[in-house]
Amino acid sequence: MSAAGSLLTAVPAAAVLLLTVAARPREVGAVARLRLAVVRAVLLGGAYAVLVVEVLGASHALTRPAFAVAWLFFLVAATTAVGLRWQRAATLGQQSAAAPQSVGAAPRPVPVGAVAPGGSPDVSAPVAERGEPDRAPTRAGRGAAGLLAAAVHTWRTARPGERLLAGTVGGLVLVELLVALLAEPNNFDSQTYHLPKVEHWVAQGDLDFWPTAIHRQVTIPPGAEYLLLHLRLLSGGDHLYNLVQWAAGVVCLLVAARITAQLGGGRRAQLLTAFVLATTPMVVLQATSTQTDLVCAAWVACAATLALDGLRRRTGWGTLLGLGAATGLTAVTKTSGLIAVGPLLLLWGLAQLRLARNRRAAAAGGGRRSWPVVGLARTVGGSVLILVVAAVVVGPFLARVTAEFGHPLGPPRLRESIPMERHDPASIVVNALRIGHTAFDTPLAPLRRAGAEVIISGAEAIGVDPQDRAITFGRELFPEPAWYPDEDRVAFPLAGVLAVIGAVIALARPWRITPERAGALRAYAVVVLTAVLLHTAMIKWQPWGNRLLLYSVVLAVPLAGLWLDALFRRRAGDAVPAAGDAVPAAGDATAGRGRRSVATMAAVTVLATSALAGVLALSYGFPRRLVGAGSVFTTSDWDTRFLRRPQWADEFGWAATAVRDSGARRIGLVEQNDNWEYPWWLLLRQPDGGSPDLVALQSVLPERPPADPASVDAIVCTGSKAACAKLVPAGWRLEFRGYVGYALPPGH
């Protein structure tokens, strides 16, 4: 990457950091202010990135200069916003200093739940609930020095256990950053369709669909690839691609911790949440990948934390725009994430209606509650605004898909391959059990076999074929081992078990976890459970289904963190009986302490095992690891790209060398639906770094006919030699070596 490329790629990061400063909330009672500012900044930055791609794509201007100008403009706007904020803060400070102060006077606190002078319910809460002191930041506190001082103070006042949790999370994040920077993109799906679609956009200069044999290059939502396109054009290569998922992982950690604070968790609960999530092998491995699941999870988590803000206060315009952006970004990245966003928005809407009703009752002096027309209209209008903003973000892509295939969800093969095709109760139960079996898989093979046998026997007993294609993806067969630390399929039994326990207690006895926020905790647990149930009713089982559940894992882990904190709190004896709980007798108390001791030791053991799982996934996980065969320190860049299929590295190089030596300019491409295309874009680039002229000789898009084989100078093939031979013109020489082949006209 050139020096100019390095400077340009720093511009988006600098702009988002400045936005974080400018977006720091001013309202009293905001939970975890800095993290809320991060949420606002990344949503605004993400929506801007998507809209830049759409606008420039419609203008046929997907070029480096255009993207550089767009981000420089954004940087200037962010800088201006920071300047205006500081200027306003300085003005307010001067006015406050000039105002007369009465000796001994102090502002009268507003009780929790009462109506504040501004007209909105007050959301003041204990510091332990909010996660950080609720005080107006001073001028020094807004700068880097103030943040550093606050971090040092927090570290000094933390308990040894909290320091251990924070140190583990920080260490994992930093090492993941190292791996993300060192490793070349080598995810299987990325070689097939994630990264080739970026190269097609660069070569075309627009977002128009193209003839292809791999329908996922044009039918799968491209939100994460839009972000990669920015890095591709600004840096000139793919060296920084892994940073998109790494940044998404960091956002997931921050937002999950904030959700914990919103539900009443103190510092330890938030650290436990971040610890459990950061040590989940799927999170560890995807944080250094070019997959898209963490990006989707980050947008869903942002929607969740903004929706929870709406449980205790009326939502302002900024938050409405944020909810719309989060919804649209989820839809344009991975539509399965909408399975969770839908219930979250429903929870938000019901809470807003309740707040409006309570406000009407308070204004009437506590009389009979009724639905105010203004409050109802405001909630409906806010909901419409959310949908409009979401449509602006995802609408252009859906319009292109609809125009191409006549349906916003793409061709029939896409609509029938992943979504469930049967929705009778028996089929849904079997699908849910299979998804759960794969998600909670462990290295204990006898346990895996026994569980699978029970599920298969039970399915047959209720008249459901456990391998039915209507509830099973492709030609896959259940069961499939998923315990190995592989980015595409690794299970999450520890995080899953902790989340399930936390969800059960949150539903049954939420006051035992957070007495002040019991209602919100139970409502959130209902939303998480609803999302999981909807997922199992709508998405077919597949061996790679665990990564599709990643968004629900991020949403569920705060329940685990809250429960673990409550368990440790009760063990330490600093909890008091909740309302309605009987005071235990001496003998019962002794027995209770014994049970709590056993539960605490079990929880500590699970946390230690979780830490070990995270470290092992980072050290030995596939296909990017620190040590052993395929280490990022000892494997060449090119071989790292082919760790999934090492034998293909030489084959691609052999074919590309022959084509380049022939002087071919226009090159035909023959491949099947799951073949690797991306290596051709790297190997056949022009001497000046420009994109090769690659054209497909097959097409699954009815309105996009393939190129005529007679119009190309050479042909490269992957997969089937027979399929390639059918498209090679008569008299051409066809060479094939294993997975890869090429064909040249006579005389070459």
Side-chain angles (χ1 to χ4, degrees):
M1 182 170 58
S2 64
S6 300
L7 290 175
L8 287 176
T9 53
V11 172
V16 173
L17 289 176
L18 288 172
L19 277 179
T20 302
V21 176
R24 192 81 181 265
R26 299 188 182 93
E27 58 265 26
V28 175
V31 178
R33 293 172 177 273
L34 182 57
R35 279 168 275 174
L36 177 56
V38 170
V39 169
R40 293 173 173 177
V42 298
L43 286 175
L44 180 56
Y48 181 78
V50 169
L51 294 178
V52 164
V53 172
E54 291 290 357
V55 171
L56 294 181
S59 305
H60 304 281
L62 297 181
T63 63
R64 187 180 194 183
F67 274 65
V69 169
W71 279 111
L72 289 173
F73 170 80
F74 195 63
L75 179 64
V76 171
T79 304
T80 303
V82 172
L84 292 175
R85 181 184 176 93
W86 283 358
Q87 182 180 7
R88 183 176 184 274
T91 302
L92 292 176
Q94 293 172 358
Q95 294 175 352
S96 177
Q101 300 290 330
S102 58
V103 178
R108 182 169 58 89
V110 182
V112 175
V115 178
S120 298
D122 179 65
V123 292
S124 301
V127 170
E129 177 181 343
R130 293 195 304 271
E132 54 184 69
D134 186 18
R135 56 178 179 268
T138 63
R139 185 174 180 84
R142 288 194 302 269
L147 293 176
L148 179 60
V152 171
H153 174 73
T154 301
W155 181 263
R156 288 177 176 174
T157 58
R159 298 174 181 177
E162 294 173 344
R163 293 182 180 180
L164 180 61
L165 293 172
T168 303
V169 173
L172 286 172
V173 169
L174 290 177
V175 177
E176 288 164 5
L177 174 60
L178 176 65
V179 175
L181 290 171
L182 292 178
E184 302 296 320
N186 60 0
N187 174 263
F188 194 102
D189 284 347
S190 297
Q191 307 283 359
T192 300
Y193 67 96
H194 289 309
L195 304 188
K197 70 170 67 173
V198 175
E199 295 301 323
H200 278 285
W201 295 332
V202 173
Q204 296 177 174
D206 57 40
L207 300 174
D208 290 345
F209 291 163
W210 53 89
T212 178
I214 304 174
H215 75 86
R216 291 175 293 174
Q217 291 183 358
V218 297
T219 57
I220 298 293
E225 291 88 343
Y226 282 175
L227 304 181
L228 295 180
L229 177 62
H230 286 268
L231 291 177
R232 169 68 174 85
L233 288 173
L234 293 177
S235 70
D238 61 8
H239 311 292
L240 302 179
Y241 277 5
N242 294 330
L243 293 184
V244 171
Q245 281 263 107
W246 177 83
V250 173
V251 171
C252 287
L253 294 177
L254 294 175
V255 178
R258 183 173 191 263
I259 290 173
T260 305
Q262 290 173 286
L263 297 175
R267 182 168 62 190
R268 182 174 59 187
Q270 296 169 52
L271 287 172
L272 284 167
T273 295
F275 178 87
V276 172
L277 186 59
T279 56
T280 301
M282 178 66 78
V283 175
V284 172
L285 293 169
Q286 288 235 1
T288 63
S289 171
T290 48
Q291 267 290 9
T292 62
D293 305 286
L294 267 181
V295 178
C296 173
W299 301 137
V300 173
C302 288
T305 194
L306 293 181
L308 286 177
D309 278 340
L311 297 189
R312 301 189 70 183
R313 70 186 313 142
R314 296 292 289 168
T315 299
W317 292 108
T319 302
L320 290 173
L321 295 175
L323 283 169
T327 303
L329 289 169
T330 301
V332 80
T333 301
K334 215 175 189 71
T335 51
S336 57
L338 295 176
I339 295 174
V341 173
L344 286 167
L345 292 180
L346 179 61
L347 174 65
W348 168 85
L350 293 175
Q352 292 293 289
L353 290 174
R354 179 182 60 82
L355 289 172
R357 187 181 185 189
N358 291 346
R359 182 179 177 183
R360 171 76 173 253
R368 182 175 178 271
R369 296 184 178 183
S370 60
W371 298 108
V373 175
V374 174
L376 180 61
R378 180 175 175 178
T379 302
V380 173
S383 302
V384 172
L385 178 61
I386 291 172
L387 295 178
V388 169
V389 174
V392 170
V393 175
V394 71
F397 169 71
L398 294 181
R400 289 194 298 275
V401 173
T402 303
E404 189 73 29
F405 301 103
H407 196 287
L409 298 181
R413 66 182 302 176
L414 178 64
R415 303 198 303 271
E416 297 169 0
S417 60
I418 297 177
M420 287 274 285
E421 298 177 78
R422 290 180 56 178
H423 297 92
D424 56 285
S427 297
I428 293 175
V429 168
V430 172
N431 193 56
L433 291 174
R434 294 183 306 166
I435 289 175
H437 181 274
T438 304
F440 290 87
D441 191 22
T442 70
L444 303 176
L447 181 62
R448 181 189 313 118
R449 287 195 296 267
E453 289 173 0
V454 169
I455 293 173
I456 292 173
S457 300
E460 294 173 346
I462 60 177
V464 177
D465 179 5
Q467 314 299 349
D468 186 355
R469 297 302 100 187
I471 61 174
T472 305
F473 178 81
R475 301 178 181 178
E476 306 301 326
L477 297 176
F478 174 82
E480 183 73 23
W483 65 269
Y484 184 80
D486 183 294
E487 66 175 356
D488 286 335
R489 66 176 65 197
V490 63
F492 34 83
L494 298 177
V497 168
L498 292 175
V500 167
I501 295 174
V504 170
I505 297 179
L507 290 170
R509 296 185 175 183
W511 56 85
R512 286 186 172 271
I513 298 179
T514 57
E516 304 88 356
R517 301 284 296 168
L521 178 61
R522 176 176 280 167
Y524 182 76
V526 169
V527 168
V528 173
L529 178 61
T530 300
V532 173
L533 293 178
L534 287 175
H535 185 100
T536 60
M538 298 173 67
I539 305 296
K540 294 178 179 178
W541 174 87
Q542 56 180 282
W544 313 279
N546 288 341
R547 64 182 183 82
L548 302 182
L549 278 169
L550 192 54
Y551 72 89
S552 62
V553 174
V554 174
L555 293 183
V557 164
L559 301 175
L562 288 164
W563 169 70
L564 287 170
D565 178 65
L567 177 64
F568 294 143
R569 190 170 63 241
R570 291 170 66 85
R571 174 67 179 88
D574 55 354
V576 296
D581 287 354
V583 178
D588 294 339
T590 301
R593 284 195 297 270
R595 289 192 297 270
R596 287 197 294 272
S597 297
V598 173
T600 301
M601 290 302 298
V604 170
T605 302
V606 170
L607 289 176
T609 306
S610 181
L612 179 62
V615 171
L616 290 177
L618 187 57
S619 302
Y620 296 97
F622 197 73
R624 292 165 303 280
R625 54 177 50 167
L626 291 174
V627 297
S631 167
V632 295
F633 296 115
T634 59
T635 309
S636 68
D637 294 347
W638 185 247
D639 289 336
T640 298
R641 296 179 183 275
F642 287 87
L643 283 175
R644 285 284 186 190
R645 299 291 187 272
Q647 68 276 17
W648 293 352
D650 291 338
E651 296 175 7
F652 271 98
W654 159 77
T657 299
V659 171
R660 285 199 310 268
D661 292 344
S662 72
R665 294 183 176 275
R666 182 176 168 87
I667 303 167
L669 184 64
V670 178
E671 58 193 0
Q672 286 75 58
N673 183 57
D674 206 30
N675 289 174
W676 284 19
E677 179 182 317
Y678 187 59
W680 298 126
W681 291 96
L682 298 176
L683 290 166
L684 298 175
R685 280 189 180 177
Q686 302 294 333
D688 61 356
S691 299
D693 187 7
L694 279 175
V695 295
L697 301 185
Q698 309 147 287
S699 179
V700 294
L701 278 66
E703 304 299 324
R704 309 280 173 171
D708 184 352
S711 68
V712 301
D713 304 320
I715 296 175
V716 292
C717 311
T718 51
S720 170
K721 181 178 180 180
C724 184
K726 293 179 180 179
L727 294 170
V728 173
W732 283 38
R733 175 170 58 92
L734 174 62
E735 300 285 346
F736 228 89
R737 184 182 292 180
Y739 178 76
V740 177
Y742 69 91
L744 295 173
H748 291 83

